[in-house]
Structures are given as C-alpha cells and as structure tokens.
C-alpha cells in the first residue's frame, strides 16, 4: 500500500539568534509516503547524526495537531499546503517523488529564530498575560449553572478558543500581523457573559501589547484565515475591531 | 501636530482612522462621478453643473480644505502602516505563496494608492485648474464649449484616455478592497452579509471604474461629439 | 517491614476532608510572600497549582520544557472531565462518582483520596466555567453532559473533542494573570535535571535552560512536581514526544518512593503502527466503539481485503466473548483481547498488529450522514494519517500506551515521603488505582492543583521557617556539578547508535514483556536485558553538538537514560505483583475463561519502591489499603 519517494530538502539552518542563517540542501531518499512530515525530518536527523553532523532543530511535541508546538513554512505556506492541517499531521503521500521542498522558520520580527526552524513565540504569552483572561480567583466561582449561556455563543466562543497558538497566522500574513491570534482570544472571552466585566480593559491592553511586540498591521488580506490549522475565522478580527472601537470611544 | 498624534495611535486605531477617511474619500469619488455623468446630458447641462459648483465658493474652499486634509491623513497613515509592516518581517521568505481571499488586492493597495496620488496631481492640473474658456475648450466648430470642450479635447487624445482609464482601473481595484475592508476594520461581521459586502465591494469598485472610464470611451466612440 | 503511613485523617469517609481542612495550619497572609514554592510542569495540575498558590500570596516559580506553559500534554485530552453535578438528574452523586472511580481502579487506591477527588469535582466545573471554558451547552444555555466508559450515568463535561485543551487554556490564563501581578515567575524551555535535598527536605531543583544550555540552581521552601506520567518509557505511546519522567525519576533517586510503577493503562482504539519510523501513536476516541464492531478474520493469515471476507468468516470476538457488554467492554479487556487475536496470527494489516473496527453496519443502518455527524472529525483524522477512507473500508485499530497510574508515592497531603516534596497530577500514584476511568485524569489534575494542594502545602509550610536554604549551599553545588557532569559524559561518548535507536529497543522490549499482559519468564527476561541495553547506551550512544545551545538530541539522551533506569523498577514491580488487576494482567493469575484474577489477600497494597543505588535492587515498602466504605468486588462484563 505504501511506497517510497525521494525528496530534496532546502532547509534553513541558523546556529543561534545572532547567526545570519542560510539554506542547506539535504537529500531525503527512500522516504515512506505513510510518514508524517516530522517523521521524515526525524529520519533525516537520524541519518545526519550517524554521519556525525548536527541534526536539524525543529519544535514539535504532541504530533496530533493540538499542542501548537510544531510550525514551519513549507514551500511558502505555514504548515504546508493542506487546509486546516498542522505540520505534524501533514503526510508525505501529498508530495511527489523527486519533489524539492523548501522549509523555513516562521518569519516575523516578533518571532526571532532561536535555531534552525525553532522560533521564540513568547510574544504570544506576553499578549495573553496582558489581559487574555478572566480575573477569577480559585474558589471564587459561583455554581456553574448560575448563568446560562446561549448555545450559539458558546459554540462561537469554542470556535475562537480552538486556537493552538502556533503562529501560522503571523507567518502567513503579508505583514506578519498577529490580529487573528489576538482576535481569537478577545472573541472567545467576549462571547461569554463572564468576560463582559473586563472586556474593554482587556482589548485595550492586549492590542497595546501586540503593538509593542513588533507585529505588523492587519491589511485584511485574510491569509491568516487560510493558513490557520484550526480554521479560525477573520470574523474574530472584526469582533475585536468593534470591541476596540467601543473601548476607545468610552475611554 | 497632527502627525505625532496619528503616529501615537495603536495599530487598530490607525486602521480605523484610515477606514473612516477612506469612507469620506469614497463618498467624494461617488459625488464626483455623479457630476461627471452630467456630460451625457449635453454641454449645457455639464457646464451648468460646473458653474453652479463654482458659484458655491467661498464655501467650497472650506469643503476642499477638509477634503484635502482627509486625503493627506489617509495618505500619511497608510504610508505609516505600510512602513511598519515592512519592519515586521526583516528576513523575507525564500519561497512564498499568496493565500487568502483578499491577498492580491490587499497587497496591491500601496501601489494602486500611489497611482491614484499621481493621477490626482495630473487630474487637478488637467481639468480642475484648466482654463475653461481657453484654447483647450474650443471644439472642431471653432467655438468654446467651456469645461465640456476641455474634457472632450483631452479624451480625443487616445494616450490621454488610456492613462485615465488605467488610473480608474487602479481606483476601482483600490476601492474593491477598500470598501469591504472598511466594514471589517470597523468591526462589522455577519455570516450572511459579510460575503455579500465582499461581493458588493468588488462590484462597486468595478462599477466606479467603468462609469468613470465610460466618458473617454464615449468620446472615442464619437458619442459626445457636438453636432 | 514498616508499613507506609498515608496519613489519612480519622472520622467518617464523608467528613474526612472537610474536618481535616478545618484543622490544617495556616500561614499568615503577610508571611506567605516570604515562602518560595517551585512548581515543575504546567499541565492541568501544575498550572492550576501555580496560579492558585500565587493567588494566595506565595512566591511561585514555575518551570516547563515547552516554549509556552500552554503546550503541556494535558492539551491533548479529548473526551471530557467528570463531575458529580447530577445535572441530568440520573442518580449521580459524590458517592457514586467515588464508587465508580475506586471500582474502575480495581480497588487498588485509597478510599479517602478517591472520595475527596469526587467531593471537589463539582468545584472544578464551577471554576472552569468562571474562567471562560466554553463547555458544550444545550439549547437552554445550560451545560451538556455525556456518558463515558465505566459509568452508568452521564457526568462528563466536554468542550467538543478538545476538553483538555480548553481546561488547560483556562489554567494557563489564570497562570498568565498571576505572572503579571508578579507573584509567579515562569521559566519556559527549562528542564528540571535534579532535585536538591538538604537536611532530609526538598529544598530546590537544578535546571538546564534548553536554549542557552545554562545549568542553574533554584532554592525554595517546597517543591511541587507536576510533570506527568511515564508512558514514553515504551517509546511508542499516545503521549507527546517531550513527555518524560526525568523529574520524578531524579526525585526518586534522591529518596522519594515510587509507587505501583507497573500500573500502566493501554487504550484500545489507537491507529496501528505503520513502520519503524513511527514516532508516536494517535488515539481515536473510544466513542467509536458505540457504533463500531471489532473483528478479525477467522482464518489465520487471511490477506484478503476486509470487503472480500464474508460475514461467516469474520470473528466478532468481543461480542462472542462478552455477550452483555460486547464491543463496550472496558479499556483493559478490549485491549487484551485484541492482543490475543493478533498473537494467534489473526491480526490484520501489513504488520499483523491490528484488528478491524467496522462501522459499516452502522453506516448502513443510520446512513453515512448520521455517522459523519457523530464521528466526522475522527474519520477525517483517520484518513489524514492512514490515507484510508473509513466510510468505505473498516478502520484498523490497535491498543497503545496511554496513561500511567503509577507514580511517586504521596500521602493524603500529596506530599511524598521526602518532606517538602509534593507530587500532583499524573506524576503521583494516588487516585486511579490499577486502572483509570475515562474523563478522570483531567478531574484529578485540576482537583490536586486548584483545591487540594493549596490547602495541604500551607500546613507543611506553617511548620517551616522560610528561606531556610539558598543556592550557595553545598547540596546545590553538588547537584549542579553532577548534572553538568552527566551532560558532558553524554556528549563525550560519541558512539555509533542514536538515542532513538536505544529508546525504540527499550520500548519494544517493554511492550513485549511488560505491556498488555505479563508473565514471569518474560519479566525475568526483561530484567536481564534492560541492564544490557543501559550499559550499551552508556558506551555507544551518539549525541552530536554541544551542551551550550539548543540540543534536542542531548535533551532526549538525558530522558532516555532515565527511562533505562526506571524500566527495571517497573518490570520488577510487575514481577512482584503476582495478581492481575486493572491494567496489570499477569497471565499466571486469570480465571479459567481468561479474565483478570485479583488477589486481595496478598496484594491489597500500594507497592512503594525505595532507591538503593544504581544497579541495586530497590527496597519495597507497602501501604496497605483499608476499605471501610466499599467492599472490593470482582469486575465482570460477561
């Protein structure tokens, strides 16, 4: 059922933050098409190790598309060309024999390259820390059924909350903007009654932090939506824009 | 004073100010178009409209100043946003695929915008500040037809018309992204209406470009010749 | 031998926690910030504990190996979280949740702990809803529940198939909130390499920053380990690649007892192994068994396509052997039976290590649309991984390692035998006995972190002066030097085999000898082979690069070195427990018709192992289980 292919990989190698970085070419021969993209990199790394060379550093963890750790730009698209698929879930049967594949890190000023394909996405954490939460302390919660929530809103909130924080939106955006990530978090919380109390402060602070991190501006190209492995809609950006407008008017 | 103020705004505010100024500019474009279309009612109607407009001065100066200010703010902010966007990705991708529904129009915005600026300068020199009774207003029968004559003569030159139509295409393209962008940036989203707005935005952009371009086309086809 | 004391409070089961809490010592609010607490791990247990402790005013330092606390492996949990809310009015109660959990664990856990877990379960749901966790809701706007294996009531709360993710994002957001207030300092991409013990108490940890390679010491008044389980000792499991046991293993080597290491859980419905390159296994929700029928060909070595095998030549072995529960038998039973079929040579697929899970009949009965509605995402996932359209062909499944019930031994306060070392979540051994029920892992992680540890740790700290040690102390320097030396040793080996090659070899051995079913000779064989692999590892492993920057091979090498030491204890524990219970099936201990046979007379205890030095047999300590409220019964699913 499975067969093997040969690939030529152009992979970004960068020793550390200060290194300029360059592409290097690797042959990946006899690759089983049932492998995932990351398993292919594993195989390449095993071979490199045996040759006494340093393997390619890349982030990965759960390998089932939920932790958001893996990311990389494959042939010019974050997570590769399949819609709503993370890199770890992309399998090699979607590539052709003798294909040349270019693998680059997520590129953005706000995501400095740490090594090879590994980038520093702590900017996302700082954005969440600036206001992406409901300030409820442990033990302070009322009984869960005290406030019913419209099912439709709960579903929309879940759609937005599905974000895995992988950074594909930033990588895909022509301006390296983080609006989809921030919009998703603002929307998730704003759609729930518990999120109303701090809504205005939250959106103001999160946007301020986003700007501080050096992300670009949104130009409504909607590339983020197309690249998002969880299919998060740009409607979340619109919702954030509205919230922000209202928050600024009443400031 | 204005520039530091604008500069200090957040990314979303800059965009929202750009969107609002853009809306005013769209309204101006539509109003201007309505005036232009008087040309199909003959030279009396067209010149009459032009004179009526001129008669509104000095109030018109105020409107023009505000319009200029809006235009400059729109320009300044977009330039600033574009500059910031360039900073946000210091190392470019080696390979890059354009994805996303509005990627092409969005990426062309700075370019179509630049074409529009160049056009506006040319256009002001060409028509707005043209001598309505001068030699450029005289048509083949040897009589002056005022602004009507100036327009007719200008578009009788195929190069002039071609440049004008090109500029209008840029304007249409700019608006096709701009209109739906306005809705998104100010936070309007609805699962049913947003796709409509996006379609309408494209349609309106095309319509505006076509309507403006119809005048040089009509001149070329001889429809507006004075008998 | 001295019996271990679980420090279970006296009094009736129902009142134990309440009256105990009321008597716990407290730390004065002004003094709380003088105490420093280290939390290692930011999964559900770690993140919720760190956030709650910071809210109380303690100084908290929290460590995780990922680039962000939000990526801990709790995020992968799909199904849901149990609570005794009884919203569906179907007869649920704290007692029933307690009883189901202790029975599901095959009566190998502490009554008092399990009861407390059930007791605080409702508060977790309240807390999560307040944090903005978007649980599934009914049209009325109230929370929806679904049923899960091992229970006859609907008590599972869920957020689509991403409950773990949503709960973790809730705890993570609470943690991030505290990081701004300044009470929590987060150290991402930082791995704990050792525990520092001074004066017999846990006093800090030694870490390595994964980007800079810097080895640092951190001192504290208490250390909390929330670093998850050890499924990855088997190499292939459903755990994330970075999941490891270095933290708990190092703590064990420093004196913390390791309890019930042989209690591992195997999940029946995973996507089978494809080839040697396979890096991990993917779980598919058990709910598929509601509408799917499990079968193998009756004939051995039948290579026909499933559609070419006529009905009468198929063996629906679960339905045949368990007429009343059929395809819905618990995880351990379903897994073991699949293995039996494959061992008999009836397995399917290229490797022969798979059985069919066939939804064909349900598709015919209900229509493809209805099936898509119920399981669409699972079918998609299956196709994405295998390239096979499961609407046309039956799925292939095989069991895989999924969760480990064993872990560091803790008392009722969640403190290990080392004073000041607390262990929460999957890393401890406490609540699930020999088998965990579905949707209970999330419950335990959050119960420990939000509602139990914050109380019990205060009681410990109240008896301790703050700031007793700092990192200049001898013990810190020694631990730091040792950790650095070990890294250098690994880098200097420059052998011929990669880390993964050793890991795979170990995994295969354990899966064969100490996996779904275990036998004395197999276990003894494994006990011989493990030290050999370990020895070879320390002579011939190849770790390229340096220790001064991001070096993923080096990270893995350190973790695999610890797995190689731990594996022996796990096998030893499996060997000593000559009974079958929950996930631990000893072939010598089964009923005439092949079911697990528990031996309450001899094994109704937690086996806690004490480290004696490398290569030396650990010492066994026992904590006898006393059942005051429930009577251990035999599980039957016939």
């Amino acid at each position: 059922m499975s067969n093997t292919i040969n690939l030529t990989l152009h992979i970004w190698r960068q020793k550390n933050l200060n290194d300029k970085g360059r592409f290097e070419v690797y042959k990946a021969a006899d690759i089983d098409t049932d492998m995932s993209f990351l398993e292919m990199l594993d195989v390449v790394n095993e071979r490199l190790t045996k040759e006494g060379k340093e393997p390619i550093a890349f982030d990965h963890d759960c390998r089932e598309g939920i932790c958001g750790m893996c990311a990389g730009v494959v042939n010019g698209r974050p997570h590769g060309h399949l819609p709503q698929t993370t890199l770890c879930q992309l399998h090699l049967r979607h590539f052709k024999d003798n294909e040349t594949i270019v693998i680059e890190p997520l590129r953005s000023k706000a995501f400095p390259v740490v090594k090879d394909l590994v980038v520093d996405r702590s900017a996302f954490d700082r954005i969440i820390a600036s206001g992406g939460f409901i300030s409820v302390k442990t033990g302070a919660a009322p009984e869960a059924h005290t406030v019913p929530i419209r099912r439709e809103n709960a579903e929309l909130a879940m759609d937005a909350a599905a974000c895995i924080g992988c950074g594909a939106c930033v990588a895909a955006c022509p301006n390296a903007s983080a609006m989809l990530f921030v919009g998703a978090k603002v929307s998730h919380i704003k759609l729930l009654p518990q999120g109303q109390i701090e809504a205005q402060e939250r959106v103001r602070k999160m946007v301020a932090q986003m700007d501080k991190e050096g992300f670009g501006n949104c130009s409504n190209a909607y590339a983020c939506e197309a690249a998002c492995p969880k299919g998060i809609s740009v409607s979340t950006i619109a919702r954030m824009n509205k919230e922000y407008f209202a928050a600024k008017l009443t400031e | 004073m204005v520039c530091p103020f604008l500069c200090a705004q957040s990314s979303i505010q800059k965009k929202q100010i750009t969107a609002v100024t853009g809306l005013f500019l769209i309204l101006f474009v539509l109003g201007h178009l309505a005036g232009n279309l008087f040309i199909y009612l003959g030279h009396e109607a067209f010149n009459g409209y032009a004179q009526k407009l001129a008669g509104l001065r000095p109030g018109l100066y105020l409107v023009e100043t505000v319009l200029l200010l809006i235009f400059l703010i729109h320009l300044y902010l977009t330039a600033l946003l574009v500059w910031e966007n360039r900073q946000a990705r210091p190392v470019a991708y080696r390979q890059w695929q354009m994805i996303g529904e509005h990627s092409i129009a969005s990426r062309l915005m700075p370019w179509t915008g630049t074409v529009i600026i160049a056009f506006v300068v040319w256009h002001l020199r060409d028509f707005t500040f043209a001598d309505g009774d001068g030699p450029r207003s005289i048509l083949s029968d040897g009589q002056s037809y005022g602004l009507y004559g100036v327009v007719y003569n200008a578009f009788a030159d195929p190069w002039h018309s071609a440049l004008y139509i090109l500029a209008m295409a840029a304007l249409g393209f700019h608006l096709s992204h701009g209109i739906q962008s306005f809705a998104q940036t100010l936070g309007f989203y609805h699962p049913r209406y947003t796709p409509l707005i996006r379609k309408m935005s494209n349609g309106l952009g095309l319509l505006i470009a076509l309507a403006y371009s119809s005048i040089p086309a009509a001149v070329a086809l001889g429809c507006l010749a004075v008998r | 031998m001295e019996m271990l004391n679980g420090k279970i409070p006296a009094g009736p089961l129902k009142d134990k926690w309440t009256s105990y809490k009321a008597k716990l010592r407290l730390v004065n609010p002004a003094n709380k910030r003088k105490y420093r607490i280290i939390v290692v791990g930011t999964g559900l247990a770690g993140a919720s504990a760190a956030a709650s402790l910071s809210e109380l005013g303690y100084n908290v330092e929290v460590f995780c190996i990922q680039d962000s606390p939000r990526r801990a492996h709790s995020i992968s949990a799909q199904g849901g979280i149990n609570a005794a809310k009884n919203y569906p009015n179907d007869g649920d109660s704290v007692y029933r949740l307690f009883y189901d959990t202790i029975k599901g664990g095959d009566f190998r856990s502490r009554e008092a702990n399990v009861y407390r877990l059930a007791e605080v379960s409702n508060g977790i749901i309240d807390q999560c809803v307040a944090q903005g966790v978007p649980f599934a809701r009914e049209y009325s706007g109230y929370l929806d529940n679904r049923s899960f294996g091992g229970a006859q009531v609907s008590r599972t709360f869920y957020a689509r198939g991403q409950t773990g993710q949503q709960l973790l994002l809730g705890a993570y957001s609470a943690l991030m909130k505290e990081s701004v207030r300044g009470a929590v300092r987060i150290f991402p991409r930082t791995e704990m390499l050792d525990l520092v013990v001074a004066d017999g108490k846990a006093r800090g940890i030694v870490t390595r920053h994964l980007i800079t390679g810097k080895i640092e010491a951190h001192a504290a008044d208490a250390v909390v380990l929330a670093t998850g389980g050890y499924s990855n000792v088997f190499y292939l499991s459903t755990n994330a690649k970075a999941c490891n046991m270095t933290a708990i293993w190092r703590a064990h080597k420093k004196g913390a007892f390791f309890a019930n290491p042989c209690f591992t859980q195997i999940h029946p419905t995973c996507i089978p192994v494809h080839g040697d390159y396979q890096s991990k296994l993917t779980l598919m929700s058990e709910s598929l068994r509601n509408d799917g029928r499990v079968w193998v060909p009756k004939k051995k070595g039948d290579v026909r396509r499933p559609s070419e095998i006529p009905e009468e030549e198929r063996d629906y072995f679960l339905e045949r052997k368990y007429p009343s529960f059929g395809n819905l038998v618990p995880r351990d039973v379903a897994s073991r039976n699949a293995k039996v079929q494959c061992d008999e040579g009836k397995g399917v697929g290229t490797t022969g290590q798979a059985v069919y899970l066939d939804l064909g009949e349900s598709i015919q009965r209900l229509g493809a649309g209805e099936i898509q509605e119920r399981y669409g995402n699972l079918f998609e996932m299956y196709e994405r991984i295998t390239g096979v359209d499961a609407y046309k062909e039956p799925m292939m499944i095989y069991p895989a390692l999924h969760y480990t019930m064993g872990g560091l031994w803790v008392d009722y306060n969640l403190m290990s035998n080392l004073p000041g070392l607390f262990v929460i979540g999957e890393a401890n051994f406490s609540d699930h006995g020999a088998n965990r029920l579905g949707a209970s892992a999330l419950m335990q992680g959050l119960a420990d972190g939000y509602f139990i540890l914050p109380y019990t740790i205060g009681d410990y700290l109240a008896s301790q002066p703050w700031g007793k040690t700092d990192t200049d102390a001898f013990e810190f320097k020694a631990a730091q030097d040792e950790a650095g030396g070990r890294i250098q040793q690994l880098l200097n080996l420059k052998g011929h085999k990669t880390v993964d090659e050793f890991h795979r070899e170990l995994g295969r051995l354990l899966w064969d000898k100490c996996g779904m079913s275990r036998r004395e000779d197999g276990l003894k064989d494994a006990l011989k082979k493990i030290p050999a692999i370990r020895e070879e590892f320390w002579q011939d492993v190849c770790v390229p690069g340096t220790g001064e920057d991001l070096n993923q091979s080096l990270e893995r090498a350190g973790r695999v070195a610890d797995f190689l030491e731990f594996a022996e204890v796990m096998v030893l524990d499996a060997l000593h427990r000559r009974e079958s219970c929950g996930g631990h099936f000893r072939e010598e201990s089964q009923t005439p018709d092949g079911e697990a046979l528990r031996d309450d007379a001899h094994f109704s205890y937690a086996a806690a192992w004490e480290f004696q030095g490398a290569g030396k047999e650990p010492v066994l300590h026992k904590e006898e289980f006393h059942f005051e409220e429930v009577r251990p019964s035999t599980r039957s699913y016939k």
Side-chain angles (χ1 to χ4, degrees), chain A residues 107-140:
Chain A
R107 295 201 188 277
S108 154
K109 185 175 149 197
F111 292 166
V113 175
V114 169
K115 186 176 185 177
D116 299 344
L117 303 173
V118 177
V119 297
D120 176 2
R121 287 169 288 196
S122 52
F124 275 4
D125 284 327
R126 289 188 291 274
I127 292 174
I128 298 297
S130 71
F133 46 77
I134 294 166
S135 303
V136 57
K137 285 189 178 180
T138 304

Side-chain angles (χ1 to χ4, degrees), chain C residues 469-481:
Chain C
T469 33
D470 61 56
T471 53
D472 293 333
F474 155 76
E475 288 85 354
F476 283 90
K477 291 280 171 253
Q480 233 171 318
D481 289 347

Side-chain angles (χ1 to χ4, degrees), chain A:
Chain A
M1 221 161 57
S2 70
N3 43 49
T4 59
I5 51 173
N6 298 308
L7 299 167
T8 306
L9 310 173
H10 292 249
I11 301 181
W12 181 261
R13 299 303 301 264
Q14 183 173 336
K15 275 198 85 60
N16 51 44
L17 198 66
N18 303 317
D19 184 22
K20 224 168 120 12
R22 75 242 145 249
F23 279 94
E24 272 175 30
V25 182
Y26 301 93
K27 293 277 177 208
D30 299 324
I31 297 294
D32 196 309
T33 51
D34 275 341
M35 278 186 200
S36 73
F37 201 86
L38 299 186
E39 283 168 348
M40 182 266 290
L41 289 180
D42 287 342
V43 169
V44 171
N45 274 345
E46 289 274 292
R47 292 176 188 169
L48 284 175
T49 306
K50 296 222 159 202
E51 290 166 18
K53 293 181 186 147
E54 204 172 328
I56 302 146
F58 63 93
D59 264 333
H60 63 95
D61 199 10
C62 78
R63 300 210 175 187
E64 44 189 83
I66 193 76
C67 74
M69 192 87 176
C70 70
V73 176
V74 175
N75 288 340
R77 291 189 63 165
H79 293 301
H81 62 283
L82 283 197
Q84 297 196 23
T85 304
T86 53
L87 202 52
C88 60
Q89 297 273 283
L90 177 66
H91 282 70
L92 293 175
R93 65 184 76 92
H94 303 290
F95 291 87
K96 288 188 282 293
D97 195 12
N98 296 318
E99 194 171 335
T100 297
I101 303 178
V102 180
I103 310 167
E104 299 179 67
L106 308 181
R107 295 201 188 277
S108 154
K109 185 175 149 197
F111 292 166
V113 175
V114 169
K115 186 176 185 177
D116 299 344
L117 303 173
V118 177
V119 297
D120 176 2
R121 287 169 288 196
S122 52
F124 275 4
D125 284 327
R126 289 188 291 274
I127 292 174
I128 298 297
S130 71
F133 46 77
I134 294 166
S135 303
V136 57
K137 285 189 178 180
T138 304
E143 209 286 328
H145 267 181
T146 312
V147 187
I149 301 175
R150 249 182 101 204
R151 188 173 188 267
E152 198 188 337
N153 277 18
E155 292 294 309
L156 281 174
M158 182 60 221
D159 287 343
C163 169
I164 58 174
C166 65
C169 46
V170 175
C173 176
N175 316 322
S177 161
M179 289 282 277
L180 192 67
F181 172 78
V182 186
K185 185 45 70 184
V186 167
S187 294
H188 156 212
I189 305 179
K190 172 68 190 176
L191 280 158
L192 301 170
Q194 291 84 357
Q196 305 307 316
I197 305 289
E198 302 163 278
Q200 301 204 334
E201 204 187 339
R202 176 179 309 116
V203 71
R204 274 200 299 263
K205 285 184 170 169
M206 289 180 79
V207 169
Q209 187 64 36
M210 172 181 80
D211 290 352
K212 216 164 103 185
E213 297 289 349
F215 291 104
N217 304 293
C218 178
S219 59
N220 303 329
Y222 311 145
C224 50
E225 184 182 68
C228 177
K230 296 293 142 184
I232 291 171
S233 155
V234 291
S235 62
T236 57
I237 297 181
R239 189 173 290 106
M240 171 165 69
N241 285 335
K242 186 166 82 186
E243 287 308 312
Y244 192 79
F245 193 71
K248 275 289 164 186
L249 279 184
T250 53
E251 197 174 14

Side-chain angles (χ1 to χ4, degrees), chain C residues 140-375:
Chain C
S140 60
Y142 293 105
L143 292 158
D144 191 22
N145 288 111
R146 63 181 171 200
S147 58
F148 230 79
Q152 286 167 308
V153 293
S154 290
R155 61 160 77 100
T156 304
F157 294 79
Y158 64 101
R160 292 198 193 141
Q162 293 133 274
T163 317
Q165 180 200 24
Q166 294 310 314
L167 297 178
L168 182 61
L169 292 181
Y172 159 78
S173 68
L175 180 63
M176 296 318 279
K177 158 180 75 76
E178 289 303 303
S179 77
V180 174
R181 250 191 34 181
V184 161
R185 269 186 75 199
I186 302 171
F187 296 80
R189 289 207 198 260
T190 308
E191 178 162 16
M192 168 175 162
L193 293 183
D194 211 347
L195 179 78
V196 180
V197 180
D199 310 328
K201 288 174 182 159
R203 287 299 190 191
I205 61 171
V206 169
T207 61
R208 177 173 181 269
H209 191 268
L210 299 182
I211 305 288
T212 63
K214 211 168 158 206
I215 295 175
E216 283 182 324
H218 301 264
D221 299 292
V223 175
V224 180
L225 298 186
T227 54
Y230 48 87
S231 293
N232 274 352
V233 69
F234 290 84
Y235 185 70
L236 285 180
S237 80
T238 64
N239 278 18
K241 290 296 283 178
C243 290
N244 69 82
M245 62 175 313
T246 289
I248 54 174
W249 182 249
R250 297 271 131 198
H252 173 64
K253 288 178 83 169
K254 284 286 168 83
F257 295 169
F258 209 113
N260 298 336
C262 78
F263 287 170
T264 53
Q265 183 170 70
I266 289 167
H267 197 289
T269 52
C270 295
I271 298 177
V273 177
H274 288 285
D276 292 337
Y277 54 80
Q278 185 114 15
S279 61
K280 79 154 290 191
L281 297 170
T282 304
L283 178 81
M284 293 208 298
S285 171
E286 249 174 312
S287 58
L288 282 167
R289 286 199 280 145
N290 286 323
D291 286 306
R293 301 178 71 194
V294 178
W295 64 276
V296 290
K298 279 185 179 162
K299 208 166 67 189
K300 283 180 192 177
D302 195 334
V303 291
R304 287 176 292 176
R305 297 178 69 85
S307 53
E308 291 163 354
I309 301 175
E311 197 61 35
E312 62 276 11
E313 289 176 43
R314 299 176 176 189
D315 179 12
Y316 294 92
F317 55 92
L318 290 179
E319 297 172 26
R320 174 170 57 80
K321 287 174 78 176
Y322 308 95
S324 66
F325 273 70
N327 295 297
L328 287 173
V329 290
R331 288 176 177 178
D332 50 344
V333 179
S335 298
R336 220 157 32 236
N337 278 283
K339 178 181 156 55
V340 169
Q341 298 302 322
C342 294
D343 288 350
E344 285 176 9
K346 292 177 186 168
V348 297
T350 47
T351 58
Q353 295 291 308
V355 299
Y356 289 123
L357 174 64
D358 198 341
L359 280 90
E361 198 192 273
S362 297
I363 292 174
Q364 270 187 358
R365 181 165 42 93
L366 303 162
E370 176 63 28
I371 292 295
Q372 189 181 1
E373 188 128 300
R374 290 186 195 176
Y375 310 112

Side-chain angles (χ1 to χ4, degrees), chain A residues 10 23 75-77 102 104 107 109 170-173 211 217-223 234-235 238 241 244-245, chain B residues 10-11 13 15-16 81 84-85 88-89 91 93-97 99 102 106 177 180-181 184-185 187 189:
Chain A
H10 292 249
F23 279 94
N75 288 340
R77 291 189 63 165
V102 180
E104 299 179 67
R107 295 201 188 277
K109 185 175 149 197
V170 175
C173 176
D211 290 352
N217 304 293
C218 178
S219 59
N220 303 329
Y222 311 145
V234 291
S235 62
N241 285 335
Y244 192 79
F245 193 71
Chain B
S10 72
S11 57
Q13 269 172 304
K15 286 185 46 64
Q16 289 180 336
L81 289 167
E84 285 174 355
N85 291 344
R89 180 166 294 137
V91 182
Y93 287 104
R94 164 149 150 199
Q95 197 169 341
W96 180 247
Q97 275 183 47
I99 48 172
H102 270 258
S106 151
H177 181 67
Q180 61 85 32
S181 210
Q184 170 80 4
T185 302
Y189 190 96

Side-chain angles (χ1 to χ4, degrees), chain B residues 2-3 6 21 25 65-79 117:
Chain B
V2 178
C3 289
L6 293 174
T21 50
L25 294 173
T65 312
V66 170
L67 194 65
L68 182 69
L69 199 68
I70 286 174
F71 185 75
L72 289 177
I73 291 174
H74 190 80
L75 202 105
Y76 174 75
L77 276 180
T78 46
I117 298 166

